[in-house]
Amino acid sequence: MLKNLRAAAAILVFCFLTFYFLDFANILSAKFNIFARLQFIPALMSRNIVIIFCLIFCALLFGRIYCSFLCPLGIFQDIVIRCSKNAFSKKKIVYKKNNFLLRFSIVIICAAFFFFNFTIIIAFLDPYSVYGRIVLHLFKPVYLSANNILSFIFNHFGNYTFYQIKITMLSVFSFVVALFSFVIIGVLALKNGRLYCNSICPVGAVFGFINKYSIFKIQINGEKCANCGTCAKNCKTFSINSQEKKIDYSRCVNCFNCINSCPQKAIFFCANKNKNKNFPPLDANKRKFLLFGLSAIITAPVAAFAQTKEKLLKNRKIAISPPGSISAKRLLKHCTSCHLCVSKCPSKVLKPSFSEYGAGGILIPIMDFERGFCNFDCTICTEVCPNNALVKLTKEQKHSLQVGRVVLKPELCIVHTQNWNCGACSEHCPTQAVKMIPYKDGLTTPFIDADICVGCGGCEFICPVRPQRAIYVEGNEVHRQARAFDIEEKDDKEITDFGF
Amino acid sequence: MKNNMNRRGFLKGLAVAGAAFTLKMNGEMDVFAQTVTNPEQKNSVDLVAVMGGEPDAMFKRAIEEFGGIGKFVKSGQKVVVKPNIGWDKTPEFAANTNPILIKEIVRQCVAAGAKEVVVFDNTCDEWKRCYANSGIEAAAKAAGAKVIPANEESYYTKISLPKGKSLKDMKVHKAILDCDVWINVPILKNHGGSRMSISMKNLMGIIWNRRIFHVSNLQQCIADMCTYDKKPVLNIVDAYRVLKNNGPQGRSLEDAVLSKALFISQDMVAVDTAATKFFAQIREIPLSDVKYLAYGQDLKIGTMDIDNLNVKRIRM
């Protein structure tokens, strides 16, 4: 019963979250990012006290249910484990020791990085972000291929419910990272169950710690138990020592599989009565380790400050951070690179960065005008961000937000080099920060007013000059307010003649 | 029985009154039109210009002069109606063709027995947003059209342009290649690059590889593109609202001017010449600056000499 409840909830969360990432047609509204916002690290990054409080409160009450009910990477591993059930039942080892040192040191390092506003390690380890990247970089191309096959068939018969979408590699590095995490975590799950959650995952370690003190716990009734070991065989986390009839609560993820499997019905999920028996007191080694952890907290910022920005793109000296990020610096403090904004961007202007933000900003979303430009009225990235790394913007706020400023190189412009009409840049400029003004022989030439530029990149995207473009956007280190453009006087003069 | 007679009598009266009313209306309009109609070419009108009505009413009136849409769209044909849906803007901005006009054109095509009516444009802004916010997707669908995507290269096929000077080939949307007839429905706009955006420029929405235009003489490329032998059967220029400033996109509602006009011709160069002259009343634009008109005339796509055409001018 409990297991079925867990499985049903988990499948619901998993499907919604996965589909939310895949959903290029925006069938689900932006509000469905609630499943992303409920995740622990995003809640922490967005300083969402309510959600953090609820998650911890639930954990204190019922234990580590985040890991079984909400965590998409955990549920993904459960699915892998479920699919490999046959292989799994043959497992020889049924109980493993807890790797306290590894787990604790990872938590300490992550905490240190968090307090010093440096997210890169968390970005690589946070289960939600890891899963987001897996969906975007691995599952989405498959989903789009299926869509393209369907659309090919439907379009052939004159039905345009489905339409073609070009599949592109957003970033080789992100793809490799996603592929590695997928393969490693997948194989670990096949062979070792929830090993990732109980050795690497910092969220798992935190909830594992809370789990020890939770009120409701899975418990073995020693009198009923026949030491058959079925529960241990069915345990995804190798945390049941059936010989001693003990459960390592720091690793138990409350999946309730053991309750269902017990032939004696000797396992229960109930309020804990013998509080102090289940976990040992801190020993001297652990104390030493705490000291080590503290020293890590002190040294981490040194590493953080040592990270300097590397050489950037050809034209652009300062990387352009997405709308709502306020500055690259602030973005790097809050973003864990789940790439939800990248997945949702309809204009394909967001992509994972490589070295543009410096080494500490690897994988963090960046604006790039190779495949598109930022739609003037679109605010979707700021609406979906669960970390609040992109602060929600209204259409009006975004209209006056300047993420970067236009720079023109007249010596490269077609109008000057060839004496031909062009104006592609001005055509795409929503504020006419690039305006065509009279030049010679009836030609018009671009003229820029960077103060009213919003940095959407329309001009850079469309400029036909290669290899270096004649117009581009230079990033603003800190986003600014664009000056409002002058509005032309309304022409109300009635036209009464044809003019010919 | 008595009742029946009464109703019949009433209907008769109504019919007579209605007929008289329409006669009167037509008569009045003829007074305006007669001043310019060339008596020798009375039966073949080259260009119709209408002023002063709503987009759909002006089209209804104008197409009558050509003998109705049935002259161009035959029963069982596949028709493409190609508006300008280039930008993520609502109709009031005058960046896209008026949806009411599109709706009426589609409706008439369907009524004329078209097997299917397809609407699409290769947009500049993100296509789904353009289709939705222009109001064209909803309007066209409501009238029975099929609104199809044009967002990926796979929807296009390469064709050659033997008559082109700078542009030797281009990738055309398959819907255009597959259709029996197509109708070009641009909006009249100021354009920062090509100076004016009307029916010739609107052809850029049926092709994929248009970035090349800007690096191989845009004005010549626009004319070259129009040498494509599958020409639109009608060019219907929407000038209900025209974009005076900051074209082709516009940045504020003040950039649009309510001018309530519509021009129709089978000749792209002629209708663009007429529309440019109309636009010149709102904002100065010498015909010589819109170079693709002269280039188009040189390539024998049409004529700029609209004074020698049979032009019908109608005021509503």
PDB file of all heavy atoms in Angstrom, chain A residues 119-143:
ATOM      1  N   THR A 119      28.629  28.004  -7.118  1.00  0.00           N
ATOM      2  CA  THR A 119      27.721  26.861  -7.262  1.00  0.00           C
ATOM      3  C   THR A 119      28.267  25.705  -8.090  1.00  0.00           C
ATOM      4  O   THR A 119      27.590  24.691  -8.233  1.00  0.00           O
ATOM      5  CB  THR A 119      26.413  27.306  -7.930  1.00  0.00           C
ATOM      6  OG1 THR A 119      26.739  27.920  -9.166  1.00  0.00           O
ATOM      7  CG2 THR A 119      25.630  28.237  -7.051  1.00  0.00           C
ATOM      8  N   ILE A 120      29.451  25.845  -8.649  1.00  0.00           N
ATOM      9  CA  ILE A 120      29.841  24.872  -9.679  1.00  0.00           C
ATOM     10  C   ILE A 120      29.791  23.412  -9.199  1.00  0.00           C
ATOM     11  O   ILE A 120      29.289  22.548  -9.898  1.00  0.00           O
ATOM     12  CB  ILE A 120      31.201  25.226 -10.310  1.00  0.00           C
ATOM     13  CG1 ILE A 120      31.538  24.189 -11.388  1.00  0.00           C
ATOM     14  CG2 ILE A 120      32.324  25.310  -9.295  1.00  0.00           C
ATOM     15  CD1 ILE A 120      32.402  24.711 -12.478  1.00  0.00           C
ATOM     16  N   ILE A 121      30.293  23.148  -7.991  1.00  0.00           N
ATOM     17  CA  ILE A 121      30.290  21.762  -7.493  1.00  0.00           C
ATOM     18  C   ILE A 121      28.850  21.276  -7.309  1.00  0.00           C
ATOM     19  O   ILE A 121      28.483  20.173  -7.722  1.00  0.00           O
ATOM     20  CB  ILE A 121      31.049  21.675  -6.147  1.00  0.00           C
ATOM     21  CG1 ILE A 121      32.516  22.063  -6.342  1.00  0.00           C
ATOM     22  CG2 ILE A 121      30.939  20.283  -5.548  1.00  0.00           C
ATOM     23  CD1 ILE A 121      33.323  21.087  -7.133  1.00  0.00           C
ATOM     24  N   ILE A 122      28.019  22.155  -6.737  1.00  0.00           N
ATOM     25  CA  ILE A 122      26.617  21.798  -6.519  1.00  0.00           C
ATOM     26  C   ILE A 122      25.950  21.531  -7.862  1.00  0.00           C
ATOM     27  O   ILE A 122      25.186  20.589  -8.014  1.00  0.00           O
ATOM     28  CB  ILE A 122      25.889  22.929  -5.752  1.00  0.00           C
ATOM     29  CG1 ILE A 122      26.660  23.236  -4.454  1.00  0.00           C
ATOM     30  CG2 ILE A 122      24.452  22.546  -5.444  1.00  0.00           C
ATOM     31  CD1 ILE A 122      26.172  24.473  -3.731  1.00  0.00           C
ATOM     32  N   ALA A 123      26.286  22.367  -8.859  1.00  0.00           N
ATOM     33  CA  ALA A 123      25.693  22.189 -10.182  1.00  0.00           C
ATOM     34  C   ALA A 123      25.995  20.807 -10.745  1.00  0.00           C
ATOM     35  O   ALA A 123      25.165  20.197 -11.402  1.00  0.00           O
ATOM     36  CB  ALA A 123      26.198  23.266 -11.125  1.00  0.00           C
ATOM     37  N   PHE A 124      27.197  20.319 -10.474  1.00  0.00           N
ATOM     38  CA  PHE A 124      27.563  19.015 -10.998  1.00  0.00           C
ATOM     39  C   PHE A 124      26.950  17.862 -10.211  1.00  0.00           C
ATOM     40  O   PHE A 124      26.818  16.764 -10.726  1.00  0.00           O
ATOM     41  CB  PHE A 124      29.090  18.856 -11.042  1.00  0.00           C
ATOM     42  CG  PHE A 124      29.689  19.396 -12.303  1.00  0.00           C
ATOM     43  CD1 PHE A 124      30.196  20.680 -12.355  1.00  0.00           C
ATOM     44  CD2 PHE A 124      29.725  18.617 -13.449  1.00  0.00           C
ATOM     45  CE1 PHE A 124      30.728  21.186 -13.536  1.00  0.00           C
ATOM     46  CE2 PHE A 124      30.253  19.106 -14.620  1.00  0.00           C
ATOM     47  CZ  PHE A 124      30.761  20.399 -14.675  1.00  0.00           C
ATOM     48  N   LEU A 125      26.592  18.105  -8.932  1.00  0.00           N
ATOM     49  CA  LEU A 125      26.139  17.000  -8.092  1.00  0.00           C
ATOM     50  C   LEU A 125      24.648  17.007  -7.780  1.00  0.00           C
ATOM     51  O   LEU A 125      24.079  15.965  -7.484  1.00  0.00           O
ATOM     52  CB  LEU A 125      26.920  17.007  -6.764  1.00  0.00           C
ATOM     53  CG  LEU A 125      28.435  16.843  -6.901  1.00  0.00           C
ATOM     54  CD1 LEU A 125      29.087  16.905  -5.529  1.00  0.00           C
ATOM     55  CD2 LEU A 125      28.808  15.545  -7.597  1.00  0.00           C
ATOM     56  N   ASP A 126      24.024  18.193  -7.843  1.00  0.00           N
ATOM     57  CA  ASP A 126      22.603  18.280  -7.503  1.00  0.00           C
ATOM     58  C   ASP A 126      21.791  17.334  -8.389  1.00  0.00           C
ATOM     59  O   ASP A 126      21.839  17.427  -9.612  1.00  0.00           O
ATOM     60  CB  ASP A 126      22.118  19.718  -7.700  1.00  0.00           C
ATOM     61  CG  ASP A 126      20.595  19.799  -7.689  1.00  0.00           C
ATOM     62  OD1 ASP A 126      19.983  19.069  -6.892  1.00  0.00           O
ATOM     63  OD2 ASP A 126      20.032  20.567  -8.474  1.00  0.00           O
ATOM     64  N   PRO A 127      21.030  16.419  -7.780  1.00  0.00           N
ATOM     65  CA  PRO A 127      20.342  15.399  -8.582  1.00  0.00           C
ATOM     66  C   PRO A 127      19.335  15.991  -9.572  1.00  0.00           C
ATOM     67  O   PRO A 127      19.212  15.510 -10.694  1.00  0.00           O
ATOM     68  CB  PRO A 127      19.638  14.522  -7.541  1.00  0.00           C
ATOM     69  CG  PRO A 127      19.586  15.342  -6.296  1.00  0.00           C
ATOM     70  CD  PRO A 127      20.795  16.230  -6.339  1.00  0.00           C
ATOM     71  N   TYR A 128      18.644  17.056  -9.161  1.00  0.00           N
ATOM     72  CA  TYR A 128      17.666  17.659 -10.076  1.00  0.00           C
ATOM     73  C   TYR A 128      18.360  18.245 -11.304  1.00  0.00           C
ATOM     74  O   TYR A 128      17.936  18.015 -12.438  1.00  0.00           O
ATOM     75  CB  TYR A 128      16.849  18.741  -9.350  1.00  0.00           C
ATOM     76  CG  TYR A 128      16.226  19.733 -10.290  1.00  0.00           C
ATOM     77  CD1 TYR A 128      15.144  19.356 -11.086  1.00  0.00           C
ATOM     78  CD2 TYR A 128      16.739  21.018 -10.431  1.00  0.00           C
ATOM     79  CE1 TYR A 128      14.589  20.250 -11.998  1.00  0.00           C
ATOM     80  CE2 TYR A 128      16.190  21.910 -11.330  1.00  0.00           C
ATOM     81  CZ  TYR A 128      15.121  21.523 -12.112  1.00  0.00           C
ATOM     82  OH  TYR A 128      14.583  22.403 -13.010  1.00  0.00           O
ATOM     83  N   SER A 129      19.449  18.979 -11.068  1.00  0.00           N
ATOM     84  CA  SER A 129      20.158  19.591 -12.192  1.00  0.00           C
ATOM     85  C   SER A 129      20.784  18.534 -13.098  1.00  0.00           C
ATOM     86  O   SER A 129      20.770  18.668 -14.322  1.00  0.00           O
ATOM     87  CB  SER A 129      21.229  20.554 -11.684  1.00  0.00           C
ATOM     88  OG  SER A 129      20.636  21.550 -10.886  1.00  0.00           O
ATOM     89  N   VAL A 130      21.327  17.493 -12.480  1.00  0.00           N
ATOM     90  CA  VAL A 130      21.913  16.406 -13.270  1.00  0.00           C
ATOM     91  C   VAL A 130      20.829  15.805 -14.161  1.00  0.00           C
ATOM     92  O   VAL A 130      21.023  15.617 -15.370  1.00  0.00           O
ATOM     93  CB  VAL A 130      22.516  15.321 -12.343  1.00  0.00           C
ATOM     94  CG1 VAL A 130      22.842  14.056 -13.135  1.00  0.00           C
ATOM     95  CG2 VAL A 130      23.752  15.847 -11.643  1.00  0.00           C
ATOM     96  N   TYR A 131      19.659  15.576 -13.567  1.00  0.00           N
ATOM     97  CA  TYR A 131      18.583  14.973 -14.349  1.00  0.00           C
ATOM     98  C   TYR A 131      18.096  15.926 -15.451  1.00  0.00           C
ATOM     99  O   TYR A 131      17.852  15.495 -16.581  1.00  0.00           O
ATOM    100  CB  TYR A 131      17.413  14.558 -13.446  1.00  0.00           C
ATOM    101  CG  TYR A 131      16.337  13.867 -14.234  1.00  0.00           C
ATOM    102  CD1 TYR A 131      16.563  12.582 -14.747  1.00  0.00           C
ATOM    103  CD2 TYR A 131      15.143  14.490 -14.524  1.00  0.00           C
ATOM    104  CE1 TYR A 131      15.610  11.948 -15.510  1.00  0.00           C
ATOM    105  CE2 TYR A 131      14.172  13.860 -15.299  1.00  0.00           C
ATOM    106  CZ  TYR A 131      14.417  12.590 -15.782  1.00  0.00           C
ATOM    107  OH  TYR A 131      13.472  11.966 -16.552  1.00  0.00           O
ATOM    108  N   GLY A 132      18.002  17.209 -15.132  1.00  0.00           N
ATOM    109  CA  GLY A 132      17.590  18.201 -16.144  1.00  0.00           C
ATOM    110  C   GLY A 132      18.497  18.154 -17.353  1.00  0.00           C
ATOM    111  O   GLY A 132      18.033  18.147 -18.495  1.00  0.00           O
ATOM    112  N   ARG A 133      19.789  18.080 -17.098  1.00  0.00           N
ATOM    113  CA  ARG A 133      20.738  18.048 -18.222  1.00  0.00           C
ATOM    114  C   ARG A 133      20.620  16.758 -19.011  1.00  0.00           C
ATOM    115  O   ARG A 133      20.750  16.753 -20.234  1.00  0.00           O
ATOM    116  CB  ARG A 133      22.166  18.237 -17.695  1.00  0.00           C
ATOM    117  CG  ARG A 133      22.437  19.638 -17.175  1.00  0.00           C
ATOM    118  CD  ARG A 133      23.923  19.853 -16.962  1.00  0.00           C
ATOM    119  NE  ARG A 133      24.470  18.994 -15.928  1.00  0.00           N
ATOM    120  CZ  ARG A 133      24.591  19.354 -14.643  1.00  0.00           C
ATOM    121  NH1 ARG A 133      24.197  20.549 -14.261  1.00  0.00           N
ATOM    122  NH2 ARG A 133      25.103  18.522 -13.761  1.00  0.00           N
ATOM    123  N   ILE A 134      20.368  15.652 -18.300  1.00  0.00           N
ATOM    124  CA  ILE A 134      20.195  14.376 -19.005  1.00  0.00           C
ATOM    125  C   ILE A 134      18.988  14.471 -19.945  1.00  0.00           C
ATOM    126  O   ILE A 134      19.053  14.078 -21.103  1.00  0.00           O
ATOM    127  CB  ILE A 134      20.026  13.206 -17.998  1.00  0.00           C
ATOM    128  CG1 ILE A 134      21.351  12.941 -17.287  1.00  0.00           C
ATOM    129  CG2 ILE A 134      19.539  11.951 -18.705  1.00  0.00           C
ATOM    130  CD1 ILE A 134      21.278  11.883 -16.203  1.00  0.00           C
ATOM    131  N   VAL A 135      17.892  15.034 -19.442  1.00  0.00           N
ATOM    132  CA  VAL A 135      16.686  15.131 -20.282  1.00  0.00           C
ATOM    133  C   VAL A 135      16.953  16.025 -21.485  1.00  0.00           C
ATOM    134  O   VAL A 135      16.666  15.658 -22.621  1.00  0.00           O
ATOM    135  CB  VAL A 135      15.483  15.685 -19.484  1.00  0.00           C
ATOM    136  CG1 VAL A 135      14.273  15.825 -20.392  1.00  0.00           C
ATOM    137  CG2 VAL A 135      15.143  14.775 -18.329  1.00  0.00           C
ATOM    138  N   LEU A 136      17.523  17.199 -21.230  1.00  0.00           N
ATOM    139  CA  LEU A 136      17.709  18.151 -22.333  1.00  0.00           C
ATOM    140  C   LEU A 136      18.688  17.623 -23.382  1.00  0.00           C
ATOM    141  O   LEU A 136      18.420  17.695 -24.575  1.00  0.00           O
ATOM    142  CB  LEU A 136      18.202  19.505 -21.799  1.00  0.00           C
ATOM    143  CG  LEU A 136      18.505  20.529 -22.890  1.00  0.00           C
ATOM    144  CD1 LEU A 136      17.281  20.837 -23.728  1.00  0.00           C
ATOM    145  CD2 LEU A 136      19.053  21.805 -22.299  1.00  0.00           C
ATOM    146  N   HIS A 137      19.823  17.118 -22.925  1.00  0.00           N
ATOM    147  CA  HIS A 137      20.867  16.795 -23.889  1.00  0.00           C
ATOM    148  C   HIS A 137      20.772  15.383 -24.451  1.00  0.00           C
ATOM    149  O   HIS A 137      21.326  15.102 -25.503  1.00  0.00           O
ATOM    150  CB  HIS A 137      22.245  17.027 -23.272  1.00  0.00           C
ATOM    151  CG  HIS A 137      22.447  18.456 -22.861  1.00  0.00           C
ATOM    152  ND1 HIS A 137      22.584  19.472 -23.773  1.00  0.00           N
ATOM    153  CD2 HIS A 137      22.477  19.046 -21.639  1.00  0.00           C
ATOM    154  CE1 HIS A 137      22.708  20.629 -23.135  1.00  0.00           C
ATOM    155  NE2 HIS A 137      22.643  20.395 -21.836  1.00  0.00           N
ATOM    156  N   LEU A 138      20.077  14.483 -23.742  1.00  0.00           N
ATOM    157  CA  LEU A 138      19.990  13.110 -24.241  1.00  0.00           C
ATOM    158  C   LEU A 138      18.580  12.711 -24.652  1.00  0.00           C
ATOM    159  O   LEU A 138      18.376  12.164 -25.726  1.00  0.00           O
ATOM    160  CB  LEU A 138      20.505  12.118 -23.184  1.00  0.00           C
ATOM    161  CG  LEU A 138      21.917  12.356 -22.655  1.00  0.00           C
ATOM    162  CD1 LEU A 138      22.267  11.325 -21.599  1.00  0.00           C
ATOM    163  CD2 LEU A 138      22.937  12.301 -23.786  1.00  0.00           C
ATOM    164  N   PHE A 139      17.594  12.993 -23.785  1.00  0.00           N
ATOM    165  CA  PHE A 139      16.234  12.540 -24.102  1.00  0.00           C
ATOM    166  C   PHE A 139      15.568  13.435 -25.140  1.00  0.00           C
ATOM    167  O   PHE A 139      14.811  12.966 -25.978  1.00  0.00           O
ATOM    168  CB  PHE A 139      15.345  12.506 -22.846  1.00  0.00           C
ATOM    169  CG  PHE A 139      15.805  11.532 -21.778  1.00  0.00           C
ATOM    170  CD1 PHE A 139      15.181  11.494 -20.544  1.00  0.00           C
ATOM    171  CD2 PHE A 139      16.849  10.644 -22.018  1.00  0.00           C
ATOM    172  CE1 PHE A 139      15.588  10.598 -19.555  1.00  0.00           C
ATOM    173  CE2 PHE A 139      17.267   9.754 -21.041  1.00  0.00           C
ATOM    174  CZ  PHE A 139      16.640   9.740 -19.796  1.00  0.00           C
ATOM    175  N   LYS A 140      15.828  14.745 -25.053  1.00  0.00           N
ATOM    176  CA  LYS A 140      15.105  15.656 -25.944  1.00  0.00           C
ATOM    177  C   LYS A 140      15.416  15.404 -27.424  1.00  0.00           C
ATOM    178  O   LYS A 140      14.494  15.418 -28.242  1.00  0.00           O
ATOM    179  CB  LYS A 140      15.380  17.118 -25.574  1.00  0.00           C
ATOM    180  CG  LYS A 140      14.322  18.044 -26.157  1.00  0.00           C
ATOM    181  CD  LYS A 140      14.386  19.436 -25.589  1.00  0.00           C
ATOM    182  CE  LYS A 140      13.333  20.314 -26.248  1.00  0.00           C
ATOM    183  NZ  LYS A 140      13.398  21.697 -25.800  1.00  0.00           N
ATOM    184  N   PRO A 141      16.684  15.164 -27.793  1.00  0.00           N
ATOM    185  CA  PRO A 141      16.927  14.841 -29.205  1.00  0.00           C
ATOM    186  C   PRO A 141      16.125  13.621 -29.672  1.00  0.00           C
ATOM    187  O   PRO A 141      15.641  13.589 -30.806  1.00  0.00           O
ATOM    188  CB  PRO A 141      18.428  14.572 -29.256  1.00  0.00           C
ATOM    189  CG  PRO A 141      18.989  15.338 -28.117  1.00  0.00           C
ATOM    190  CD  PRO A 141      17.935  15.298 -27.048  1.00  0.00           C
ATOM    191  N   VAL A 142      15.969  12.634 -28.781  1.00  0.00           N
ATOM    192  CA  VAL A 142      15.194  11.441 -29.130  1.00  0.00           C
ATOM    193  C   VAL A 142      13.724  11.820 -29.316  1.00  0.00           C
ATOM    194  O   VAL A 142      13.066  11.435 -30.289  1.00  0.00           O
ATOM    195  CB  VAL A 142      15.335  10.357 -28.031  1.00  0.00           C
ATOM    196  CG1 VAL A 142      14.484   9.140 -28.357  1.00  0.00           C
ATOM    197  CG2 VAL A 142      16.796   9.980 -27.859  1.00  0.00           C
ATOM    198  N   TYR A 143      13.239  12.627 -28.374  1.00  0.00           N
ATOM    199  CA  TYR A 143      11.846  13.083 -28.424  1.00  0.00           C
ATOM    200  C   TYR A 143      11.587  13.883 -29.706  1.00  0.00           C
ATOM    201  O   TYR A 143      10.576  13.688 -30.387  1.00  0.00           O
ATOM    202  CB  TYR A 143      11.593  13.950 -27.182  1.00  0.00           C
ATOM    203  CG  TYR A 143      10.193  14.496 -27.023  1.00  0.00           C
ATOM    204  CD1 TYR A 143       9.142  13.671 -26.640  1.00  0.00           C
ATOM    205  CD2 TYR A 143       9.935  15.843 -27.222  1.00  0.00           C
ATOM    206  CE1 TYR A 143       7.863  14.175 -26.474  1.00  0.00           C
ATOM    207  CE2 TYR A 143       8.663  16.363 -27.049  1.00  0.00           C
ATOM    208  CZ  TYR A 143       7.626  15.534 -26.669  1.00  0.00           C
ATOM    209  OH  TYR A 143       6.370  16.036 -26.503  1.00  0.00           O
TER     210      TYR A 143
END
